[in-house]
Amino acid sequence: MIAIIDSGGANIASVRFALERLGVDAELTADPAVISAAERVILPGVGAAPVAMARLDEAGLVDCIRSLTRPVLGICLGMQLLFERSEEGNTPLLGLIDGTCAALDASGGLTVPHMGWNRLIPQGTAGAHPLLTGVVPGAHVYFVHGYAAPVSENTVAACDYGGPFTALVARGNFMGAQFHPERSGPVGATILQNFINLPAGREG
Amino acid sequence: MLTKRIIACLDVRDGRVVKGVQFRNHRDMGDILELAQRYADEGVDELVFYDITASSDGRVVDKSWVNNVARRINIPFCVAGGIRTIADARAILNDGADKISVNSPALERPDFITELAEAFGTQCVVVGIDSRVEGQDDGRMKYVVYQYTGDETKTISSTRDTVSWAREAQRLGAGEIVLNCMNNDGVKRGYDLAQLALVREAVSIPVIASGGAGDYGHFADLFEKTGIDGGLAASVFHSGQIPIPSLKAFLSERGIEVRV
């Protein structure tokens, strides 16, 4: 079973429907017991980091998420929450992946939020991460965000918008997509299918 | 590089897709789900559904189709029309829409933009601006925002200046602006590049052009001559006059970055 964490974000329905199209049933839940027992977990989220962290905290989900050993996929803000800190409201995040999320800089004439289709640039030399199986380098996916995580050793695919940032990240069983795979056409569907195909016991 | 977006606009009236010329004489263009699916398959980057009757009638009409569209298609879409309360917006977003667009209600009460941004994040909040050229002022073109444009008998000037309103919308929390240049709407002579460039320079959020697309070159002009982020069109796409794959191939050959 896939648990979608009820993080209150507006993209939850889209994520559910994307899984439905792949023939997968998902349960929307904020119950730590259900989340801990799930084979895989999706942490969706749009909106502001301080609000999202406060919500996870109130629901008693911070330690629950940190202790998960099965595959976890954060989407958009859900991905950023996996990092250490966000400059948005100077918010401490879950701290599962090193790095600080910072605002995209509009001062150089860059349109912010970064909204639309942009390219995935696979990173690293060890071969593509299983999430990228069947995804052509340079494939377009759909982004909507005003903050971004830096590129690091955990970056699976970067994207370039006024400089490189992390588009797809993985550290052990914790993975995240800054873009919206649920709204990224066939490429996004492939990435979600790859997540579903990961062995449930996969650990770092 | 961020691609230029090609956006198909589906004007919805009573659950069907319709299209008028300069906001009048609406003709039936087909079924919502069929058209949405066709566009997603053809590689359109985004869809906008405008319920063109809602604002001027002062009602929110049946939007059960939003959920059906969200289940079926895997590209982003925005819903506009008669969204007057946070609850209206929440219902549509919960049904699976990615963004909501407000127009007349934001003109009536600009703080509504801020309330939406605070509730759902700026990325969900599109402000639609219907703008008309109103002669010249000291040699400069004068652009004025219109209201209740869904019904010609109720359409009025808001008396607001288009560029100022775009700036204010951004300040209040809009994440994107769709600028519909009313003089160009439906007449297929190209986008109003001068007006679009002016609004593009006035704000830092994405600006989408609407009104006037009639051939491939109009899209190329839009992207080559302004910094506009996306081109929206309706009838030329619905009629099959400009197939999305051909348009993308054309733009790509011109060196314009698009998703193909």
Side-chain angles (χ1 to χ4, degrees):
Chain A
M1 193 272 293
I2 296 187
I4 300 176
I5 297 179
D6 190 355
S7 52
N11 65 332
I12 288 174
S14 304
V15 173
R16 275 179 93 167
F17 297 153
L19 295 172
E20 264 179 37
R21 287 193 293 273
L22 296 172
V24 179
D25 248 349
E27 185 174 343
L28 182 65
T29 178
D31 181 344
V34 173
I35 293 165
S36 298
E39 265 177 30
R40 48 201 95 231
V41 173
I42 293 181
L43 177 59
V46 292
V51 177
M53 277 308 291
R55 196 183 280 263
L56 291 183
D57 205 21
E58 277 165 31
L61 289 176
V62 170
D63 288 337
C64 165
I65 295 170
R66 282 181 178 145
S67 65
L68 293 172
T69 57
R70 299 257 174 87
V72 177
L73 180 68
I75 295 176
C76 197
L77 179 63
M79 178 211 83
Q80 294 184 11
L81 296 181
L82 302 176
F83 283 78
E84 288 174 290
R85 180 167 286 277
S86 176
E87 286 182 2
E88 191 176 21
N90 193 22
T91 310
L93 305 175
L94 293 167
L96 294 159
I97 297 176
D98 295 343
T100 296
C101 300
L104 292 169
D105 183 6
S107 63
L110 207 61
T111 300
V112 174
H114 176 219
M115 193 184 293
W117 299 78
N118 205 332
R119 292 182 183 278
L120 287 180
I121 310 156
Q123 302 288 294
T125 51
H129 189 276
L131 282 177
L132 287 176
T133 302
V135 175
V136 180
H140 287 110
V141 288
Y142 184 75
F143 290 88
V144 183
H145 60 119
Y147 284 75
V151 171
S152 74
E153 58 180 15
N154 300 122
T155 302
V156 167
C159 177
D160 183 18
Y161 191 61
F165 67 88
T166 289
L168 197 59
V169 70
R171 186 174 181 221
N173 62 307
F174 290 99
M175 289 156 270
Q178 177 62 72
F179 54 95
H180 287 275
E182 75 279 13
R183 281 285 178 252
S184 292
V187 174
T190 299
I191 291 168
L192 283 177
Q193 185 67 59
N194 289 340
F195 174 70
I196 292 163
N197 291 348
L198 289 173
R202 185 186 161 85
E203 286 182 53
Chain B
M1 197 176 162
L2 181 61
T3 66
K4 297 297 186 182
R5 279 179 273 162
I6 301 299
I7 301 168
C9 177
L10 291 79
D11 288 347
V12 174
R13 175 178 269 182
D14 301 326
R16 298 283 293 178
V17 178
V18 297
K19 182 60 190 165
V21 174
Q22 288 192 313
F23 290 63
R24 296 189 184 102
N25 305 321
H26 295 100
R27 280 184 298 134
D28 188 273
M29 303 295 284
D31 175 72
I32 296 173
L33 280 182
E34 273 171 32
L35 274 166
Q37 183 69 57
R38 194 190 93 195
Y39 284 123
D41 292 346
E42 287 179 350
V44 87
D45 296 310
E46 198 168 318
L47 293 169
V48 177
F49 298 91
Y50 269 91
D51 195 310
I52 57 169
T53 53
S55 258
S56 47
D57 289 0
R59 61 180 171 124
V60 173
V61 295
D62 172 32
K63 290 212 171 50
S64 55
W65 51 268
V66 173
N67 196 266
N68 294 330
V69 169
R71 282 175 193 275
R72 191 135 154 196
I73 67 166
N74 57 12
I75 57 166
F77 72 98
C78 175
V79 174
I83 297 163
R84 300 188 160 273
T85 65
I86 295 293
D88 295 340
R90 179 171 285 121
I92 290 166
L93 292 169
N94 284 349
D95 271 348
D98 300 277
K99 309 180 209 178
I100 45 103
S101 178
V102 289
N103 188 328
S104 300
L107 287 162
E108 288 166 12
R109 201 170 64 79
D111 285 345
F112 186 41
I113 299 171
T114 308
E115 292 163 17
L116 288 167
E118 282 172 356
F120 309 113
T122 59
Q123 77 291 330
C124 287
V125 183
V126 179
V127 172
I129 301 178
D130 290 324
S131 175
R132 193 178 272 285
V133 182
E134 299 239 309
Q136 298 196 349
D137 195 5
D138 293 337
R140 291 175 54 216
M141 299 300 282
K142 207 169 156 227
Y143 305 109
V144 178
V145 182
Y146 272 69
Q147 209 165 352
Y148 310 121
T149 53
D151 180 341
E152 58 179 293
T153 63
K154 292 171 185 162
T155 300
I156 55 164
S157 167
S158 75
T159 73
R160 284 174 182 270
D161 170 70
T162 299
V163 173
S164 312
W165 176 233
R167 271 202 203 100
E168 191 180 346
Q170 169 173 293
R171 184 182 61 76
L172 291 169
E176 181 164 84
I177 284 169
V178 174
L179 182 65
N180 184 55
C181 304
M182 293 175 72
N183 304 69
N184 298 50
D185 186 69
V187 296
K188 302 187 182 178
R189 293 202 196 110
Y191 292 102
D192 185 339
L193 302 179
Q195 184 175 182
L196 286 158
L198 205 62
V199 172
R200 172 62 285 170
E201 282 159 27
V203 296
S204 62
I205 54 178
V207 179
I208 304 302
S210 164
D215 67 34
Y216 293 78
H218 294 155
F219 289 90
D221 285 346
L222 176 68
F223 299 134
E224 285 170 352
K225 295 177 181 170
T226 75
I228 290 288
D229 303 272
L232 179 151
S235 57
V236 290
F237 294 153
H238 301 335
S239 66
Q241 186 197 332
I242 301 183
I244 304 291
S246 316
L247 175 59
K248 293 243 180 135
F250 171 83
L251 294 173
S252 191
E253 271 172 37
R254 293 276 294 250
I256 297 165
E257 181 102 356
V258 288
R259 178 178 72 115
V260 289

